[in-house]
Structure formats: structure tokens, C-alpha cells
Amino acid sequence: MKICMVGTGYVGLVSGACFADLGNIVYCVDKDKKKIDKLNSGEIPIYEPGLDEIVKKNYQSNRLKFTQNLSNAVKVSDIIFICVGTPTSKKNKSADLSFVFNVAKEISKNINKFKIIVTKSTVPVTTGDKIEKIISKKRSKKLFEVVSNPEFLREGDAVRDFRFPDRIVVGCNNKKIIKKLEFLYEPLIKKGCIFFSTNRRGAEMIKYASNAFLATKISYINEIANFCEKTKVNIEDVSLGMGLDKRIGGRFLRAGPAYGGSCFPKDTKAITVTADSYKTNLSIIKAVIKSNSNRRMLLIKRIDKILSNKIKNKKITVLGVTFKPNTDDMRESTSLLMLPYLNKKGAKITYYDPSGEKNVFNKLKNVSFSHNIIHACLKADLVIIHTEWDEFKSIDFKKICKNKNLKVYDMRNLYSSDKMKKIGVNYYSIGR
Ligand SMILES: NC(=O)c1ccc[n+]([C@@H]2O[C@H](COP(=O)([O-])OP(=O)(O)OC[C@H]3O[C@@H](n4cnc5c(N)ncnc54)[C@H](O)[C@@H]3O)[C@@H](O)[C@H]2O)c1
């Protein structure tokens, strides 16, 4: 099949490359010239394990193309996926759908034969209806069908998630079109993936309800961790003990910093705003948003206590600044609040992240990037483990840090409190 991905970001690039790898001809379109130029010169603009190889292979075999020319890509394609961003609106915390609607308008001008138009972007329920309305202003409804196929991939595991998804959800009111999408995904379905179809609004709702549920699970265990700290119970044991119950499950049940990233914060807000407009109060999700927002500062302010309110001139090393490992995505990462907070209090900050230096911190005085863990930790008074990259899981703190009074604040519970005590490191973790 000939496919067009509009928006070549985390979702569009990964799914575009993977669709090409399944034998389709894929046009990845983006309005960002720099991004398209980079891709055409063999550079991958994002950090995503395994992606490089697939992009190169399919680009070389001419199945994967990168272009700014949306018009041509739409004309030659049978299926067009909308994969642009749906960030939080500056006005009211709803999803800003302007990128999606602009793309819909652009597509409508270029429909020359029957097209299946699929939203992969996360969009509020009824957005498909609105896209249909926009396109039908220019083209007869006989010439297109709007489908919802929400994306569930996780950054850092995106290629694997595309190839082995738990399920593929397709929402459309036309059964023939659902069959076409089923055919597109057939190679994955044959490997055992469940293809679940419903109507368009149903698919839109499934995506938001799933993300809000996962965010709830994280906030739930984070609050239980607060309680564990007061009662001297180990949250790790609680997570394990709870997770063994198949009705609960162990995933997304690990205490840590507030949830961040490009999806949960914006999607939890957007679903409550949409529900409010339908006079439905999603009070649980609203409580989750509040709990998560409180958590951000709760964990940051703990640093005052660890350093006995003497942060000025302290050498603080932050290991990992991305919101999670195996991605370079900084969106809604707790580090975006934590580093400026410590910087304002006069700390001298060094940070290291395997995905590289972050421009966003360049404007902060006394904040510098280090190219390796050893250099970053050498003179530290306090090491903060913020992101659980694998390379932070077996650090010999006594060997690499010169400071005898070194303190380690492990926001991801990567180490055993007992073992750290034994080797003489002042160790602070979460919920234990
Ligand atoms: N990132 C994730 O992990 C993830 C997972 C599941 C779903 N989603 C959803 O998928 C959507 C995309 O997310 P993302 O993280 O890939 O976003 P992104 O910001 O990485 O990429 C979006 C891309 O769209 C491009 N774009 C915007 N308007 C355009 C236009 N008119 N024409 C061509 N290109 C245009 C931008 O330049 C950008 O490169 C969002 O709705 C998001 O919620 C994201």
C-alpha cells in the first residue's frame, strides 16, 4: 500500500518507518525543513533505540521517503495518517487541535481519488466528526473515510511496541474500511496481536481513557509511597505484593517522581476538559492531576531537607534529565522544574544524560553538561538519580566520588538502602 504520514515526530517517524518495513511505500511528511533535511541526509532527529537501522534500511530500498511536499504525498497515497502534535491549549487545558485541523484542510485540497484518512494523533472524542466536516467542505463524502487508529507506542520502546503491540484499536463506522486497516496490519495480527475494532468515537475514547488510567495507577502508588515513608514500610514490597494480584498487575506500579512526558500530563487534562463540556465530572482524573502536580514540588523540596537547607554553592550532580530512559524527550520532565529550582538557590549543577546535552538548560548560570558519569560525579556533594537509564543502575559511588560525605538522592529506587548504608553512602530514596 502507499501510505502518507503527516507529522514525522516520535509517532509519525517510528510508525512510518515500521510500516515501510512491512513492505509498504511510505511518505513521511513534515513542515519542519530541518527535520526533513536531516532525515534525507541519514540523520535521525530523535533518540529511539533500533529506529536508526529500520530507517536506513527502508530509505535505501526506496520504501521510505521524507518530504515537505504534503500535496504530492497525499495525492499518491491510499491511506493518510495524521500524526501531528495535540499539545495542551494555552487557553483552557483542552487539546490544541489546530495542527490536526490544519492538516485536514491541507488534505482536503489534495484529494484526487478515494482516501482513507486516519488519526493517529491523540484527539478528544468527536474530533473525527470535525475532521470529516472540514474535509467534506471541499470534497464529497464518497471520496474519503475518516478513521481513528490511536497510537499506544511508548517512547524508548517504540519500535518494539509497533512490532508487538498489545492491541491495535481501529474505530470507524464503515466495516469495509475496517477490513482495509486490518489488511494493513495483517503482518502484526498474524504474529498474534489483537485487532480490536469499534466505532470512531469509541476508539478516540479508548486512547484517552487508557492514558488517564495509567496516570492514575502511577499517582496511586506515589501517594501510597508517601504513606510508606511515614510508617517505615518499603514501597517496593508493597508494589510487588499488590502487583502479584492479576487483577492489579505490577506494571505502572513503581513509585517515583511525578509522571511526565508528552502524553500523560496533556491527555489527563484534555479528557477532563472534554468531559466537562459534556457536563461530566471526571473527578478521579482531576484528583490525579492535582496529586501529580503536588508531587513534582514535594520531591524537589525534599532536596532542601537532604542538604539541611544549605543548597548555596553545593555541587549537585543530576543523572538523567529526560522524563524516562531511552528517549531524548524532555516534555514535562520533572528536571525542567528541578534544575531551575536548585539553580535559583545557588547550587552548582552538573548533569549527565545518555541522550546528550539539553539546550533548555543552557540559559541557566552554573549549570553544565558532563559527557560521562565519572566526570559528573567526581566532586559532587549530592548525586540525584532522576531518570532510570540502565547505566545508572550499577554505579560504584565510593569509587567515583571523592567526597566522603556524599549524599545520593535516588528518585527511582535503583539501589538497596541496606547496601548503600553498608558502604557508607548517605542514601535517600522513595517510599522506604
Ligand atoms: N510521543 C509519544 O510517545 C506518543 C505516543 C502515542 C500517541 N502520541 C500522540 O501522537 C501525536 C504526535 O505526537 P509526537 O510525540 O509524535 O509529536 P511530535 O511533536 O514529536 O511530532 C509532531 C510533528 O508534526 C509536525 N507537524 C505539525 N504540523 C504539521 C503540518 N501541518 N504538516 C506537516 N507536519 C506537521 C511537526 O513539525 C512535528 O515534527 C500526539 O497527538 C501525541 O499525543 C504520542
Side-chain angles (χ1 to χ4, degrees):
M1 280 192 192
K2 283 194 178 161
I3 298 175
C4 167
M5 313 299 293
V6 188
T8 306
Y10 288 87
V11 166
L13 179 57
V14 172
S15 35
C18 290
F19 275 134
D21 208 44
L22 297 179
N24 302 288
I25 306 283
V26 181
Y27 293 80
C28 281
V29 179
D30 207 287
K31 62 178 184 182
D32 182 341
K33 183 176 182 306
K34 266 195 203 154
K35 197 176 264 188
I36 294 300
D37 288 348
K38 259 189 189 175
L39 284 160
N40 277 320
S41 64
E43 221 183 299
I44 308 294
I46 56 170
Y47 183 104
E48 186 59 54
L51 182 60
D52 198 346
E53 203 183 298
I54 300 176
V55 169
K56 275 192 187 132
K57 183 177 128 198
N58 288 284
Y59 187 79
Q60 277 161 10
S61 54
N62 252 335
R63 281 196 297 268
L64 184 60
K65 299 158 198 295
F66 300 109
T67 176
Q68 279 190 281
N69 189 339
L70 181 138
S71 163
N72 179 57
V74 167
K75 280 180 185 141
V76 297
S77 298
D78 312 299
I79 307 183
I80 299 141
F81 284 91
I82 302 178
C83 309
V84 294
T86 46
T88 300
S89 154
K90 288 188 180 98
K91 278 184 239 153
N92 63 356
K93 296 189 179 166
S94 64
D96 175 355
L97 294 174
S98 58
F99 300 100
V100 171
F101 293 151
N102 282 340
V103 170
K105 276 181 210 152
E106 286 300 310
I107 293 172
S108 72
K109 289 182 211 157
N110 292 290
I111 293 179
N112 52 346
K113 56 179 174 137
F114 185 80
K115 306 283 174 194
I116 301 176
I117 297 151
V118 188
T119 35
K120 249 199 188 307
S121 297
T122 303
V123 293
V125 62
T126 73
T127 302
D129 305 5
K130 291 170 189 153
I131 294 173
E132 190 176 288
K133 215 170 169 186
I134 291 173
I135 299 177
S136 57
K137 278 187 190 157
K138 285 251 183 252
R139 291 291 184 268
S140 154
K141 279 191 185 161
K142 284 184 193 149
L143 272 180
F144 70 96
E145 191 73 54
V146 177
V147 180
S148 166
N149 170 214
E151 182 53 65
F152 296 99
L153 60 77
R154 297 160 300 168
E155 287 173 18
D157 289 294
V159 172
R160 197 205 148 275
D161 283 351
F162 182 94
R163 288 175 162 170
F164 304 98
D166 288 343
R167 79 301 204 190
I168 293 159
V169 173
V170 169
C172 181
N173 308 338
N174 178 336
K175 290 221 164 78
K176 268 192 198 159
I177 300 296
I178 289 182
K179 282 275 161 226
K180 292 212 164 151
L181 266 294
E182 198 171 354
F183 179 69
L184 173 69
Y185 282 112
E186 200 174 67
L188 306 183
I189 298 166
K190 274 188 177 157
K191 281 192 296 186
C193 163
I194 294 166
F195 182 87
F196 179 76
S197 64
T198 176
N199 60 24
R200 194 167 60 205
R201 289 185 182 188
E204 291 170 337
M205 189 70 94
I206 285 169
K207 174 65 191 178
Y208 272 104
S210 301
N211 273 5
F213 185 77
L214 292 173
T216 304
K217 220 175 159 188
I218 295 172
S219 296
Y220 180 85
I221 203 67
N222 280 343
E223 287 203 354
I224 297 293
N226 293 342
F227 192 23
C228 283
E229 281 165 18
K230 296 275 164 63
T231 49
K232 300 207 179 336
V233 172
N234 186 339
I235 187 66
E236 302 288 306
D237 290 346
V238 176
S239 294
L240 277 170
M242 281 178 69
L244 288 171
D245 184 332
K246 287 196 181 76
R247 293 169 303 176
I248 298 173
R251 292 168 78 187
F252 284 74
L253 212 57
R254 288 201 56 212
Y259 61 75
S262 66
C263 294
F264 291 173
K266 77 173 176 67
D267 294 346
T268 44
K269 285 178 210 153
I271 191 175
T272 58
V273 175
T274 311
D276 281 342
S277 74
Y278 285 90
K279 300 207 168 9
T280 307
N281 182 19
L282 296 181
S283 62
I284 295 175
I285 305 174
K286 284 179 184 168
V288 166
I289 295 168
K290 196 157 180 240
S291 167
N292 197 58
S293 150
N294 292 342
R295 184 155 192 86
R296 278 186 203 280
M297 281 326 286
L298 182 85
L299 293 206
I300 292 172
K301 285 200 169 147
R302 198 168 279 178
I303 302 166
D304 291 291
K305 228 175 164 185
I306 293 172
L307 290 175
S308 313
N309 288 316
K310 288 177 189 140
I311 291 185
K312 198 167 171 39
N313 290 327
K314 283 283 183 322
K315 294 187 185 75
I316 300 181
T317 296
V318 180
L319 296 181
V321 289
T322 52
F323 86 97
K324 68 177 202 170
N326 298 322
T327 180
D328 56 352
D329 200 344
M330 289 291 292
R331 287 178 280 188
E332 299 273 349
S333 173
T334 298
S335 70
L336 292 170
L337 283 181
M338 186 167 76
L339 269 69
Y341 176 85
L342 297 173
N343 180 63
K344 213 173 162 192
K345 293 213 159 196
K348 295 194 165 37
I349 304 165
T350 304
Y351 74 94
Y352 165 69
D353 192 283
S355 71
E357 191 170 1
K358 307 297 165 202
N359 293 338
V360 64
F361 298 132
N362 287 353
K363 56 181 186 288
L364 298 180
K365 230 175 111 186
N366 290 326
V367 174
S368 61
F369 175 71
S370 179
H371 287 273
N372 65 64
I373 301 179
I374 296 176
H375 181 259
C377 296
L378 192 66
K379 293 178 184 163
D381 295 303
L382 170 68
V383 173
I384 302 173
I385 303 173
H386 170 269
T387 316
E388 57 192 313
W389 288 86
D390 278 345
E391 59 182 285
F392 303 155
K393 290 180 180 166
S394 49
I395 300 173
D396 187 341
F397 289 102
K398 276 288 167 189
K399 198 172 165 190
I400 66 169
C401 305
K402 282 196 169 162
N403 187 345
K404 277 190 190 143
N405 299 317
L406 173 75
K407 293 177 169 170
V408 173
Y409 179 23
D410 179 1
M411 296 169 108
R412 301 288 177 172
N413 288 356
L414 298 185
Y415 292 85
S416 142
S417 308
D418 290 343
K419 279 188 190 156
M420 292 300 258
K421 203 174 169 187
K422 257 188 208 153
I423 61 165
V425 171
N426 300 303
Y427 180 71
Y428 306 83
S429 55
I430 303 293
R432 51 188 195 175

